[in-house]
């Protein structure tokens, strides 16, 4: 949780010069931390009112609004907004915390707001609800002083042109602030172990059920899995093989070498895109789990000689294709990378520049390539349930009904991959989802209907324990510190 908070800017230029800036945790400073009095004051425009809210909170509010109204991705919009507003250091950290936190805990926040509201959430203006969520998050999950969270959130409501909702928003947030966060959680937690765990850790119940089913006999770990899924992940870097070792990268960036991937380096924080090794193409940002999957493609044993024909059938946006290409260069192999979307194919070309990789803009189900590949990666489009911690708004956008369409596509891609693989060659099937319908369900169907033979993948992740009860590998944030990545190795007989 953040220990930062905010207050108001001074009401005039002269006042700002005469008095100290308000403390962002308390909202106090020069007597200017109070909400405006009603009655005799002149009405102000939304721009004037919003300008009295500190920049980190304004940025957070705008990003939350963009996520809601434009289906924007916070991890893309927020860094750009911080850069444009020149928000740095502790202010940037505070803006990031309250933005991501509000989006991540939306289900809990909505339950609390609904408990305090005289009208259903659906009848509250979206701009007002955004501000209520932002204020409620600060009250419930941070050390921001309640009056600062309440007052600035009310000012955001007024600044959004919702002057008539000022009293409504103020009443709700002050009601929330009167009850400790733990009491709200206890009061509103639904009955049932699974539903209760989902609510406490801000997940839709269907996602918690998916995790529990994937954990199987280890479903007692559900609380730990959900908790880890709500923590911001550390940054994982990959050192490009043949260009830089993980040891060298760790020394250059001040990080720690990874536990499992020989190319991984961990960073606690920072802006990885600005690091010189990343800027120069010697390293990239990539979850350690993804690194292990690309490495597994190059390491899995094939029957007969490897002729150096490798394929990435679902290559966009290019992270695994780049690592696979670097490994292929060392082995004297070449990689064909397939991506159906033209703009994503361009991202792949940018990622693999200088490597023995040829990018094809085509549908992986019918890519028009000559069969006979030694090694094929199917990093299938999936629900992304294993990477929710990197996309704070994603858990509330996804629908369980989407999985049926995804599994049909996943199976078709795996069937295509097996057709393109030579006898004795291997296919690595992977997803960034632990949902059994997208993982074991697809693999077992391929074994039953397509004549594929599953091989043990455990030897391809040396040192990584507790990776599941099957021949495949299931990683977890709470066990391994990676995204909840899955992969299986299939051989075409």
């Amino acid at each position: 949780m953040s220990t930062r908070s905010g207050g108001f800017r001074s009401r005039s230029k002269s006042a700002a010069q005469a008095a100290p800036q308000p403390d962002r945790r308390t909202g106090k400073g020069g007597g200017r931390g109070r909400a405006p009095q009603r009655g005799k004051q002149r009405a102000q425009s939304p721009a004037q009112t919003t300008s009295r809210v500190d920049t980190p909170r304004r940025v957070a509010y705008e990003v939350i609004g963009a996520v809601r109204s434009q289906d924007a991705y916070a991890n893309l919009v927020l860094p750009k907004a911080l850069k444009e507003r020149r928000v740095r250091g502790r202010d940037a950290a505070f803006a990031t915390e309250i933005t991501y936190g509000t989006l991540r805990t939306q289900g809990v926040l909505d339950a609390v707001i609904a408990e305090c509201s005289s009208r259903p959430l659906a009848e509250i203006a979206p701009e007002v609800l955004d501000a209520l969520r932002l204020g409620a998050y600060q009250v419930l999950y941070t050390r921001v002083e309640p009056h600062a969270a309440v007052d600035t959130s009310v000012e955001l409501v007024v600044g959004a042109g919702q002057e008539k909702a000022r009293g409504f928003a103020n009443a709700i947030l002050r009601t929330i602030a009167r009850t400790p966060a733990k009491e709200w959680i206890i009061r509103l937690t639904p009955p049932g172990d699974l539903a209760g765990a989902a609510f406490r850790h801000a997940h839709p119940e269907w996602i918690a059920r998916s995790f529990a089913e994937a954990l199987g006999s280890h479903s007692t770990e559900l609380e730990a899995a959900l908790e880890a899924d709500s923590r911001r992940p550390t940054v994982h870097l990959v050192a490009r093989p043949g260009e830089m070792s993980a040891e060298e990268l760790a020394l250059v960036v001040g990080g720690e070498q990874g536990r499992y991937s020989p190319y991984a380096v961990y960073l606690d924080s920072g802006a990885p895109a600005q690091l010189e090794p990343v800027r120069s193409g010697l390293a990239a940002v990539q979850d350690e789990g993804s690194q292990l999957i690309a490495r597994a493609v190059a390491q899995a044993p094939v029957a007969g000689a490897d002729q150096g024909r490798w394929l990435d059938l679902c290559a966009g946006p290019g992270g695994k294709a780049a690592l696979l290409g670097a490994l292929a260069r060392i082995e004297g192999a070449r990689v064909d990378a397939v991506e159906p979307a033209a703009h994503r194919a361009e991202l792949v070309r940018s990622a693999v520049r200088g490597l023995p990789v040829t990018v094809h803009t085509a549908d992986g189900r019918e890519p028009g390539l000559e069969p006979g590949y030694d090694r094929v990666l199917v990093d299938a489009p999936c629900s992304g349930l294993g990477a929710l911690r990197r996309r704070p708004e994603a858990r509330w956008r996804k629908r369980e009904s989407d999985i049926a369409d995804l599994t049909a596509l996943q199976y078709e891609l795996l069937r295509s991959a097996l057709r393109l693989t030579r006898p004795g060659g291997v296919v690595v099937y992977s997803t960034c989802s632990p949902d059994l319908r997208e993982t074991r369900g697809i693999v077992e169907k391929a074994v039953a209907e397509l004549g594929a033979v599953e091989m043990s993948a455990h030897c391809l992740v040396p040192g990584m324990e507790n990776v599941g009860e099957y021949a495949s590998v299931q990683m977890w944030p709470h066990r391994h510190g990676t995204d909840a990545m899955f992969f299986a190795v299939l051989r075409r007989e």
Side-chain angles (χ1 to χ4, degrees):
M1 294 184 181
S2 172
T3 58
R4 303 282 291 162
S5 61
F8 305 108
R9 288 178 178 269
S10 298
R11 297 178 186 176
S12 68
K13 185 174 180 180
S14 59
Q17 293 170 340
Q21 290 294 305
D23 180 272
R24 289 199 173 159
R25 188 171 65 84
T26 64
K28 297 177 181 178
R32 305 204 178 263
R34 297 190 300 273
Q37 299 295 316
R38 296 185 183 183
K40 297 181 179 180
Q41 287 190 332
R42 183 179 301 174
Q44 298 181 18
S45 70
Q48 288 175 315
T49 306
T50 306
S51 69
R52 297 173 56 195
V53 179
D54 58 280
T55 302
R57 282 190 177 91
R58 278 189 284 136
V59 168
Y61 180 68
E62 290 165 8
V63 171
I64 291 167
V67 168
R68 170 186 51 76
S69 63
Q70 303 169 28
D71 284 337
Y73 295 96
N75 63 331
L76 300 179
V77 176
L78 179 60
K80 182 179 179 181
L82 294 175
K83 183 177 180 180
E84 289 176 349
R85 301 292 185 84
R86 299 181 181 179
V87 182
R88 303 182 180 92
R90 297 172 69 185
D91 285 345
F94 177 60
T96 301
E97 162 65 17
I98 62 175
T99 302
Y100 287 173
T102 300
L103 294 170
R104 185 177 60 248
T105 59
Q106 180 179 311
V108 176
L109 301 176
D110 283 358
V112 176
I113 293 168
E115 185 73 7
C116 300
S117 175
S118 58
R119 66 188 71 171
L121 296 187
E123 296 181 9
I124 300 175
E127 299 84 0
V128 176
L129 189 55
D130 289 344
L132 290 174
R133 288 167 174 164
L134 185 61
Y137 178 78
Q138 294 171 71
V139 169
L140 298 175
Y141 289 95
T142 78
R143 294 174 62 187
V144 170
E145 292 197 11
H147 78 85
V150 172
D151 292 350
T152 51
S153 299
V154 171
E155 290 301 321
L156 289 170
V157 168
V158 176
Q162 298 289 335
E163 170 68 38
K164 293 182 178 179
R166 175 197 287 270
F168 173 76
N170 184 69
I172 287 179
L173 290 172
R174 293 195 182 280
T175 300
I176 293 173
R178 281 196 290 269
T179 301
K182 289 183 179 180
E183 290 187 23
W184 279 120
I185 297 297
I186 293 171
R187 182 187 304 181
L188 299 177
T189 295
D193 291 343
L194 189 142
F199 180 79
R200 285 190 295 273
H201 298 289
H203 283 71
E205 187 174 341
W206 75 269
I207 293 180
R209 184 181 304 107
S210 170
F211 282 22
E213 291 171 352
L215 287 164
S217 61
H218 298 277
S219 59
T220 53
E221 297 178 29
L222 179 60
E223 291 267 2
L226 294 173
E227 181 183 5
D229 198 47
S230 288
R231 288 198 298 263
R232 286 192 67 194
T234 57
V235 176
H236 291 183
L237 301 179
V238 57
R240 177 167 287 182
E243 299 282 355
M244 176 179 255
S245 70
E247 181 181 12
E248 292 169 329
L249 179 60
L251 289 172
V252 170
V253 302
E256 175 189 355
Q257 287 184 248
R259 288 186 291 168
Y260 308 115
S261 167
Y263 323 117
V265 169
Y266 306 152
L267 286 180
D268 289 335
S269 60
Q274 302 304 314
L275 297 172
E276 181 54 35
V278 176
R279 291 165 63 94
S280 61
L282 301 178
V285 179
Q286 186 176 48
D287 183 79
E288 189 173 20
S290 294
Q291 298 176 37
L292 290 170
I293 290 170
R295 182 174 183 267
V297 178
Q299 294 280 318
V302 298
D306 188 336
Q307 301 299 315
R309 289 192 68 203
W310 300 2
L311 172 64
D312 184 348
L313 198 60
C314 310
K320 293 185 182 69
L323 180 51
L324 196 57
L327 295 171
R329 181 171 59 184
I330 294 171
E331 298 296 330
R334 293 198 60 84
V335 180
D336 285 305
V338 176
E339 168 54 48
H343 71 284
R344 285 170 62 87
E346 285 304 314
L347 294 176
V348 179
R349 290 187 180 93
S350 177
V352 303
R353 189 171 292 116
L355 296 171
V357 180
T358 302
V359 180
H360 305 266
T361 305
D363 188 329
R365 292 169 290 187
E366 294 288 344
L369 299 173
E370 186 70 25
Y373 287 94
D374 302 283
R375 304 174 183 276
V376 180
L377 170 63
V378 183
D379 185 34
C382 67
S383 64
L385 299 187
L388 295 178
R389 59 190 188 147
R390 300 188 185 279
R391 301 175 182 89
E393 72 284 339
R395 66 190 66 189
W396 308 111
R397 281 184 176 174
K398 297 182 182 298
R399 297 291 179 267
E400 187 171 16
S401 57
D402 297 336
I403 290 183
D405 290 337
L406 287 167
T407 55
L409 174 60
Q410 290 156 0
Y411 183 72
E412 291 173 7
L413 287 166
L414 183 51
R415 180 172 56 191
S416 173
L418 288 165
R419 285 200 304 261
L420 292 164
T421 306
R422 68 166 175 82
V426 295
V427 174
V428 172
Y429 171 79
S430 69
T431 65
C432 56
S433 168
D435 191 287
L436 289 176
R437 290 164 289 187
E438 302 182 86
T439 59
R440 293 305 311 170
I442 301 298
V443 170
E444 289 167 10
K445 186 177 180 181
V447 169
E449 299 180 2
L450 302 177
V453 176
E454 185 174 11
M455 305 163 60
S456 176
H458 294 197
C459 62
L460 299 174
V461 286
M464 181 176 275
E465 300 178 349
N466 203 10
V467 293
E469 303 165 4
Y470 303 95
S472 51
V473 168
Q474 178 62 65
M475 307 174 218
W476 290 97
H478 70 287
R479 290 180 184 172
H480 311 111
T482 67
D483 288 344
M485 306 290 293
F486 167 92
F487 79 93
V489 181
L490 301 173
R491 176 178 285 169
R492 179 182 172 189
E493 293 296 306

